[in-house]
Amino acid sequence: MTFPATDGITDKLQALFAYDASSPLIFSSGLFLFLFAGFLLIYSAFRRAPMARIVYVILFSLYFYYKSSGVYFLLLVFAAVSDFLIAQGIYRARLKWTKRWLVVLSIAVNLGMLGYFKYTNFLIDISNQLFGQGFLQFQNIFLPVGISFFVFQSMSYTIDIYRGQLKPLSNWLDYLFYLSFFPQLVAGPIVRARDFIPQIRQNPIVVTKEMFGTGVFLILTGLFKKAIISDYISLNFVDRIFDEPLLYSGFECLMGIYGYALQIYCDFSGYSDMAIGIALLLGFRFPKNFDAPYKSATITEFWRRWHISLSTWLRDYLYISLGGNRKGRIRTYGNLLLTMLLGGLWHGAAVRFILWGGLHGVALALHKLWMAVVPGAKATGAQMHWWSRIAGIVVTFNIVCLGWLMFRAESMQTVSLMLHQIFYNFNAAMIPQVVTGYAAAFALIAAGYVLHLLPATVDAVARRIVVHAPLVLQVVMAAAMIWCVMQIKSSDIQPFIYFQF
């Protein structure tokens, strides 16, 4: 005989430990908030016990990744074993060629994993198009969440040891902790080993009032960006435009592109804010990953402000390795283009991602040429007169949005249709009707851009208010934000966009 209440508890426990591909565990979900609250209660007991803390965090991190990607959490463990052993070999090798072959082995293993899971379907599709459907049968290989992030993070560790910039860890659990640390595991930021490893065995773990308050502030702002702005405008405006662009005027298509630019920023920077905030609550510091990128007056400045951990990774481990700007002007432009093409391919195996990377590579090369031949040309807006800075922001933003159009569209046909609507069917007379019909979405888009463009001092003041607020008030702020999220969401919370990378 079974009792209904017992059956309900059993079902909930089974759901807690079961992987559901349709509902990966994300920071903005109620389940994560519940689990994290319980995690923190036990975590505080390990304040002065580094080894117990390391094991505890690793177990929670692997559980977190299991709830995001199922059995593929074993890939993470494999990468940790592989690069830990290879790094030891690189450090101990006496001969330079041995070190070189070992670092090549590390890169091959990591890129092999990434290539198989990320690009096999793409290659199968191309083969079937070239040689006929059915030429290759197996496809639809599952892409583990965030594989690109932990692969890049692991590669940087072995490369830094090869370059003599880092000594390898002697304890494998420390390396697994570094690679699996759940706040940044599935969507970054890409944390460098030399920045993170010194923090692992701090004893006691210290969370100052400033760290706690800043963590709360970042979690709240991240929730606001992701669960209120990004999710709402995605479901209620942007997705509709991209799904059927011919049903909408050119003005609506243009606003759909501008809306997506805000959506992807709020989605990704919202995740980064929450990741950095959660890490602060645990006593760890991550570098900033976004710095108001749509304030950029040049494409060079944009890449200094957008996804900073990826752009610096590409610079340090790809662009510089290709020769950087040390091989002459033409080679520099070629290195920029190749770096961004590979950066586009990193985002996904599709022509649109390659074109997105190519657009940014060409824009970066042209800006570098502009600075070389035009006297007084500047790299960033901070060095410009106010009027040229405003013009630069407008031009740069629209170049970036052209890239986002290719990035978001499901096919190049969608890109073509949306551009056709914008240039040949703008229909300005419908603007008041469109704005009225999508009043809530347009209000959130406007609010998002206004908040984004506010001076940095405004953000600093808001942060200080939260940091110095009493704990009770911080709890009230958190409860109010959660209530707002529950009120505004029109359906299930959407997965983070960068989970697919």
Side-chain angles (χ1 to χ4, degrees):
M1 181 176 179
T2 58
F3 297 94
T6 305
D7 289 343
I9 294 172
T10 302
D11 290 343
K12 288 180 180 179
L13 286 174
Q14 288 178 344
L16 197 61
F17 291 100
Y19 165 63
D20 181 1
S22 65
S23 182
L25 185 62
I26 61 175
F27 289 163
S28 55
S29 67
L31 176 59
F32 176 80
L33 296 175
F34 169 75
L35 291 171
F36 184 63
F39 169 83
L40 274 180
L41 289 175
I42 301 174
Y43 181 81
S44 60
F46 299 131
R47 183 171 173 267
R48 296 181 180 274
M51 197 64 230
R53 183 173 66 241
I54 287 169
V55 172
Y56 175 62
V57 173
I58 287 173
L59 291 174
F60 186 83
S61 296
L62 293 177
Y63 166 75
F64 178 83
Y65 194 59
Y66 165 74
K67 290 289 288 182
S68 299
S69 287
V71 72
Y72 290 98
F73 80 92
L74 294 174
L75 282 176
L76 177 64
V77 177
F78 169 76
V81 172
S82 172
D83 279 333
F84 176 79
L85 295 175
I86 291 173
Q88 294 284 342
I90 293 170
Y91 187 71
R92 292 172 183 167
R94 300 293 182 126
L95 300 175
K96 192 167 184 179
W97 69 267
T98 306
K99 293 177 181 286
R100 185 178 294 118
W101 278 109
L102 284 170
V103 78
V104 167
L105 175 63
S106 171
I107 293 170
V109 169
N110 282 293
L111 292 184
M113 277 197 306
L114 190 62
Y116 174 76
F117 287 101
K118 201 158 191 174
Y119 305 110
T120 301
N121 288 332
F122 180 59
L123 295 175
I124 289 171
D125 287 340
I126 290 176
S127 298
N128 287 336
Q129 288 175 19
L130 290 174
F131 303 107
Q133 291 301 319
F135 177 75
L136 293 176
Q137 296 291 340
F138 64 96
Q139 54 183 329
N140 295 325
I141 294 170
F142 178 79
L143 178 64
V145 168
I147 187 173
S148 299
F149 290 94
F150 72 74
V151 160
F152 269 31
Q153 196 159 299
S154 198
M155 283 171 58
S156 70
Y157 173 74
T158 53
I159 293 171
D160 282 352
I161 291 170
Y162 171 75
R163 291 175 174 177
Q165 299 172 347
L166 189 68
K167 290 184 178 180
L169 287 162
S170 58
N171 190 311
W172 178 70
L173 287 176
D174 286 5
Y175 187 67
L176 182 58
F177 183 99
Y178 157 66
L179 203 61
S180 67
F181 191 51
F182 71 91
Q184 44 71 232
L185 175 58
V186 294
I190 302 169
V191 182
R192 305 288 180 89
R194 59 176 175 262
D195 297 325
F196 187 79
I197 286 173
Q199 302 181 63
I200 292 176
R201 286 188 174 267
Q202 55 182 309
N203 188 25
I205 201 84
V206 175
V207 180
T208 65
K209 187 179 189 305
E210 180 189 5
M211 290 174 68
F212 183 85
T214 302
V216 171
F217 174 79
L218 289 171
I219 292 169
L220 294 182
T221 54
L223 268 175
F224 177 76
K225 289 178 183 177
K226 161 60 182 169
I228 294 181
I229 294 182
S230 180
D231 282 359
Y232 186 88
I233 64 176
S234 168
L235 291 166
N236 295 283
F237 184 66
V238 173
D239 289 353
R240 301 178 187 182
I241 305 296
F242 277 89
D243 287 345
E244 295 289 346
L246 285 180
L247 298 180
Y248 300 92
S249 67
F251 171 74
E252 289 166 295
C253 288
L254 182 62
M255 291 302 103
I257 297 169
Y258 289 166
Y260 181 70
L262 182 67
Q263 177 198 339
I264 193 170
Y265 166 74
C266 287
D267 190 284
F268 195 17
S269 72
Y271 181 95
S272 291
D273 287 348
M274 285 188 272
I276 296 168
I278 289 169
L280 282 171
L281 296 186
L282 302 179
F284 294 85
R285 296 183 184 272
F286 287 169
K288 179 185 286 189
N289 205 27
F290 287 87
D291 185 16
Y294 297 143
K295 290 181 181 179
S296 304
T298 67
I299 197 67
T300 300
E301 184 179 4
F302 174 80
W303 279 104
R304 294 178 183 177
R305 291 171 173 265
W306 175 272
H307 200 350
I308 298 167
S309 64
L310 175 63
S311 60
T312 54
W313 196 100
L314 292 172
R315 179 197 67 198
D316 294 344
Y317 299 105
L318 186 55
Y319 176 69
I320 290 176
S321 297
L322 290 169
N325 56 5
R326 304 185 305 275
K327 305 289 185 178
R329 187 178 294 179
I330 300 301
R331 178 74 176 271
T332 298
Y333 303 151
N335 290 340
L336 280 171
L337 179 59
L338 182 57
T339 297
M340 294 311 298
L341 282 171
L342 292 173
L345 194 60
W346 174 85
H347 281 87
V351 173
R352 56 196 175 96
F353 291 123
I354 297 171
L355 291 175
W356 173 82
L359 172 69
H360 279 277
V362 169
L364 285 167
L366 288 175
H367 182 241
K368 191 168 282 289
L369 176 63
W370 176 265
M371 289 192 293
V373 301
V374 176
K378 305 299 181 182
T380 66
Q383 303 166 305
M384 299 178 182
H385 296 295
W386 68 267
W387 51 268
S388 58
R389 183 177 185 180
I390 292 173
I393 290 172
V394 172
V395 172
T396 302
F397 177 71
N398 281 283
I399 292 172
V400 170
C401 284
L402 176 60
W404 288 142
L405 169 59
M406 291 184 282
F407 193 93
R408 169 62 179 81
E410 291 297 327
S411 67
M412 293 309 298
Q413 182 182 19
T414 301
V415 174
S416 176
L417 291 175
M418 291 187 73
L419 290 176
H420 179 273
Q421 292 296 89
I422 291 169
F423 287 106
Y424 298 103
N425 189 24
F426 193 77
N427 204 349
M430 287 186 63
I431 292 177
Q433 181 182 341
V434 171
V435 173
T436 302
Y438 291 100
F442 272 80
L444 280 174
I445 291 172
Y449 277 117
V450 167
L451 290 171
H452 183 79
L453 295 173
L454 287 174
T457 51
V458 176
D459 179 79
V461 169
R463 183 174 304 205
R464 281 199 300 271
I465 291 171
V466 176
V467 168
H468 296 294
L471 178 60
V472 173
L473 185 55
Q474 291 174 344
V475 172
V476 170
M477 291 177 183
M481 181 60 69
I482 293 170
W483 181 86
C484 288
V485 169
M486 298 305 296
Q487 294 302 309
I488 203 165
K489 75 183 186 75
S490 56
S491 67
D492 292 337
I493 293 175
Q494 301 298 297
F496 289 92
I497 291 173
Y498 265 67
F499 270 22
Q500 64 186 290
F501 308 122

